[in-house]
Amino acid sequence: MSFITGVGLTPFGKHEGSSSLDLMSTAAQAALDDAGLKRTEIDGILCGYSTVSPHIMLATVFAEHFGIRPSYAHAVQVGGATGLAMTMLAHHLVEAGVARHVMVVAGENRLTGQSRDASIQALAQVGHPDYEVPLGPTIPAYYGLVANRYMHEYGVSEEDLAEFAVLMRSHACTHPGAQFHDPITVAEVMASKPVAMPLKLLDCCPVSDGGAAFVISRERTGEAGVRIRGCAQAHTHQHVTAAPALGELGAEISIARAKEAAGLAISDVRYAAIYDSFTITLAMLLEDLGLAGRGEAAARVRSGHFGRDGAMPLNTHGGLLSYGHCGVGGAMAHLVEAHLQMTGRAASRQVRDASIALLHGDGGVLSSHVSMFLERVR
């Protein structure tokens, strides 16, 4: 058993003059304060990778910068799934008795510390070096290809995809730390600049500065406990040219394994925190995970099902699409928000019931998947 005992999150957007290490430190200290712990009590450190500061020993670089001397340190790289993969590793470390309190941290000044072209080129390297990268595609282009196929097979429209951007923006409007606070409409999404058709600018997450952190502990440190009930991974491919058929992607595999590990069903879930780098990502994952039928997720958005007051509140902070995306820390914000919801600290965003939460992370181009169930215990 393991508990998420503290969480920390910076606002996302522009942080002029702040380095990646600065943003990571701010988030890490907030997580420590939330857990009621001192730096000397952290005996494990897990650190997400950084494209702005691609140090080969980033975990120990951060430990030195933050002033801790852990007995265990590790850096993890599985794209957008990294945050939950680190959480899963921390869960196993404390269960095994390797560490008592593990700090999981990531952050980047990706918006102000790296040019747009450099960011795009760094991310484009997920492509196959022989069969994909030489043709010049970027991450949006890969997801655009997937979106076209998905729309063809399941009758999903561009307007359907736009619904997810509108929902995430409406949620971000209620969070003071979100990068964007202006409401948008389906028509505005449709009219935004084409990026990689059918994806347009507002179908894509922004580039952000920010940091996120949490502490995974063997025992709870406060009254309200949030424990990791069960988790699992699946890695079906790395490159789009080697991807399986749409109905055989890793999310379906990882959620089946996580349900078995947790002893839970989708019907038990009360809050969802799902990776949303693009609108197509969110639409597909909701359906792959069983939170909506094939081609039906957009209709559920329109009906209010995934709204704050709906049957399955989703990404109430605004997700990657509107809270922002600072690399690994971007997806970690989903877990921070889930923790706040589960402990009744989400202010005006608070949902009726977040006793069981489902989290899912996606790395690469639907390549690496981590599914996780969290449970509130009294």
Side-chain angles (χ1 to χ4, degrees), residues 193-211:
K193 179 182 178 181
V195 174
M197 295 304 291
L199 303 178
K200 295 162 286 296
L201 184 63
L202 293 178
D203 286 299
C204 308
C205 62
V207 176
S208 316
D209 296 338

Side-chain angles (χ1 to χ4, degrees), residues 17-36:
S18 293
S19 69
S20 294
L21 289 174
D22 292 334
L23 294 165
M24 293 164 67
S25 296
T26 299
Q29 187 59 54
L32 276 180
D33 293 342
D34 194 41

